[in-house]
Amino acid sequence: MFSLLTLISSKFALPHLDRFQTYATGYLIGKDKLEFNYTQTISCTPNKTPSSSLEFSVHYLKQLYTLPVYDQNEEKLEWSGEPLLETQSSPTCPNGFERQSSFCHDINECHEQTNICQYMCENQIGSYRCFCPIGFKMNELGQCQDVNECQQFQIDCGQDRTCFNTQGAYECIDVPCPVNYLRNNKTDCQSKCAHRSTCSPRRAMYIRYRFIALPRLTPSNKILFTLPNLDLNKTSRKLVDRNHFNSSFPFVLDGSNLKTGQILIDSNEYELEIHVYKNEPFNRRRLSTIYIVQINVSPFHF
C-alpha cells in the first residue's frame, strides 16, 4: 500500500486553482522517489472551500488519492470525495504495473516470482527490493555475498587464537601448540625434533589447523580441501571424527581430497582430524602431520 504522496507543484499554495499541466519525474512516497515519468492534468479546489475534485488522465495513480496528500514543504493538504477520472483511454501501463479493467495496478513481484531474491524481497510501487541478512552484502549481480569480518574489521582474537570467517559471521578459535612444539605461523605448529630421527614415530612432526566455511545445501562429492605435497604411494591417511557423529558424519577422505559424502542439509559445526603417515620399511609408519579441520555449515544456502 501507499504511504505519503507529494504532488510537486507550487500551484497548490494558491487559494484558487484553474486547470494546469505539471511535468515531473515521479512522485515522492514518504522519502522514496518513484522512477517513472508522467504528465497529468489537474483541476482542484483546496479543502478550505467545499469538497474538492481531482481529474487525472493517469489512471494507475487512483489509489493514491484516498490517502493524505502533502505538498513540497510536507504540509498536509486535505482532500475529500471520490476522484473523478477522465473517460479517455489510459496510456500503456509502465513497468511494474498491470492493467486491471481501466486502471493500472502495482505488480507484487515478490509474490509472483518467489525466487526473485536470494533472501528477502520487499515489494515497492512499480518495483521491488532485495535484502541480504546481517553479515552479507549485495554484489553487482544482485546476490548475497559474505562479508569477511576478520579482514574488514581486522579482528584480533588474542594469543594462540585465530579469527575464523564463517558465512555471515566469524568466530575466534583456539589454535594451541602442544608442549614441545614451536609455532610456525598463526595456524601451524612444528615439533622441536621434527628434523631428528630420534622423534617418536607416534608424535606428529607438524600440527596444522584449517578452517572451512560452507553454505547450507552444499552438494555431495564436493572437494573441500586437498592435502598438499602428498605422495599417495609413500603415505597413508586416516580421517578422525572429533565430534563422534559416527554414521552420520558427512565427510570422506578420497585419496588426498577431503570431500562431502552427502548433501549438507542442516546448519552445523564439525571438527575432524586428518592423520598423514609416512610409510617406512618393515611395514612401519611414522606420523607426519595432523590436520585439525573445523567446518562451519551456515544456516543460509548462499
Side-chain angles (χ1 to χ4, degrees), residues 17 63 68 222:
L17 196 63
Q63 294 183 17
K222 180 179 177 60

Side-chain angles (χ1 to χ4, degrees), residues 47-64:
N47 201 30
K48 295 181 180 180
T49 58
S51 68
S52 61
S53 64
L54 297 177
E55 189 173 325
F56 290 83
S57 61
V58 186
H59 293 178
Y60 59 82
L61 299 176
K62 177 182 178 182
Q63 294 183 17
L64 297 174

Side-chain angles (χ1 to χ4, degrees), residues 15-243:
H16 300 287
L17 196 63
D18 295 326
R19 184 182 297 268
F20 61 94
Q21 296 283 334
T22 62
Y23 303 89
T25 58
Y27 280 119
L28 292 179
I29 306 300
K31 300 298 183 182
D32 297 326
K33 187 174 182 180
L34 287 183
E35 298 298 335
F36 60 84
N37 298 322
Y38 68 89
T39 301
Q40 62 178 349
T41 302
I42 305 175
S43 62
C44 64
T45 305
N47 201 30
K48 295 181 180 180
T49 58
S51 68
S52 61
S53 64
L54 297 177
E55 189 173 325
F56 290 83
S57 61
V58 186
H59 293 178
Y60 59 82
L61 299 176
K62 177 182 178 182
Q63 294 183 17
L64 297 174
Y65 312 145
T66 60
L67 300 176
V69 180
Y70 294 78
D71 66 11
Q72 59 191 4
N73 297 318
E74 297 191 357
E75 295 179 358
K76 189 173 181 181
L77 301 175
E78 296 289 347
W79 304 94
S80 63
E82 180 69 18
L84 302 178
L85 300 178
E86 293 181 352
T87 57
Q88 67 184 45
S89 60
S90 62
T92 303
C93 292
N95 292 336
F97 292 85
E98 63 182 354
R99 182 179 298 281
Q100 296 180 10
S101 184
S102 60
F103 303 107
C104 293
H105 292 263
D106 173 56
I107 296 173
N108 191 328
E109 293 87 353
C110 299
H111 285 174
E112 294 198 359
Q113 305 178 56
T114 55
N115 295 324
I116 197 169
C117 295
Q118 277 191 319
Y119 180 63
M120 188 174 71
C121 179
E122 179 186 75
N123 185 57
Q124 297 184 332
I125 303 172
S127 185
Y128 66 94
R129 182 179 179 187
C130 293
F131 292 89
C132 291
I134 294 175
F136 292 85
K137 62 182 178 180
M138 193 80 68
N139 63 20
E140 296 178 352
L141 299 177
Q143 299 172 330
C144 293
Q145 177 180 324
D146 174 57
V147 174
N148 190 329
E149 292 88 355
C150 296
Q151 292 183 0
Q152 181 168 332
F153 303 113
Q154 298 181 345
I155 303 296
D156 184 3
C157 292
Q159 186 175 0
D160 294 335
R161 308 187 83 200
T162 191
C163 185
F164 175 23
N165 180 63
T166 61
Q167 297 290 303
Y170 73 94
E171 299 179 42
C172 282
I173 305 295
D174 292 330
V175 287
C177 286
V179 176
N180 295 322
Y181 282 81
L182 300 174
R183 184 169 297 283
N184 270 356
N185 52 48
K186 208 165 187 179
T187 57
D188 288 356
C189 307
Q190 177 180 318
S191 172
K192 292 181 179 179
C193 65
H195 301 293
R196 285 184 264 167
S197 59
T198 56
C199 286
S200 168
R202 297 181 180 179
R203 177 185 294 273
M205 289 183 282
Y206 301 94
I207 297 176
R208 307 185 191 278
Y209 295 89
R210 296 295 180 262
F211 305 95
I212 302 172
L214 299 173
R216 190 173 65 86
L217 302 182
T218 296
S220 176
N221 206 39
K222 180 179 177 60
I223 296 177
L224 307 178
F225 175 62
T226 298
L227 298 172
N229 305 319
L230 192 64
D231 187 337
L232 297 179
N233 295 322
K234 295 182 180 181
T235 59
S236 55
R237 297 149 301 283
K238 180 181 178 181
L239 181 63
V240 179
D241 171 19
R242 301 186 79 183
N243 293 128

Side-chain angles (χ1 to χ4, degrees), residues 192-302:
K192 292 181 179 179
C193 65
H195 301 293
R196 285 184 264 167
S197 59
T198 56
C199 286
S200 168
R202 297 181 180 179
R203 177 185 294 273
M205 289 183 282
Y206 301 94
I207 297 176
R208 307 185 191 278
Y209 295 89
R210 296 295 180 262
F211 305 95
I212 302 172
L214 299 173
R216 190 173 65 86
L217 302 182
T218 296
S220 176
N221 206 39
K222 180 179 177 60
I223 296 177
L224 307 178
F225 175 62
T226 298
L227 298 172
N229 305 319
L230 192 64
D231 187 337
L232 297 179
N233 295 322
K234 295 182 180 181
T235 59
S236 55
R237 297 149 301 283
K238 180 181 178 181
L239 181 63
V240 179
D241 171 19
R242 301 186 79 183
N243 293 128
H244 305 292
F245 278 94
N246 299 322
S247 60
S248 63
F249 188 62
F251 306 102
V252 295
L253 192 60
D254 182 9
S256 60
N257 295 321
L258 177 66
K259 304 166 68 173
T260 52
Q262 61 192 53
I263 185 172
L264 303 181
I265 297 177
D266 299 319
S267 171
N268 214 330
E269 285 197 353
Y270 302 89
E271 284 186 282
L272 56 92
E273 292 182 6
I274 301 174
H275 295 188
V276 179
Y277 298 87
K278 285 187 176 181
N279 298 330
E280 296 184 339
F282 308 107
N283 296 321
R284 292 186 300 181
R285 298 191 308 173
R286 177 178 294 275
L287 184 56
S288 172
T289 307
I290 295 178
Y291 291 92
I292 301 176
V293 184
Q294 180 154 332
I295 299 175
N296 179 283
V297 181
S298 166
F300 307 106
H301 64 280
F302 42 80

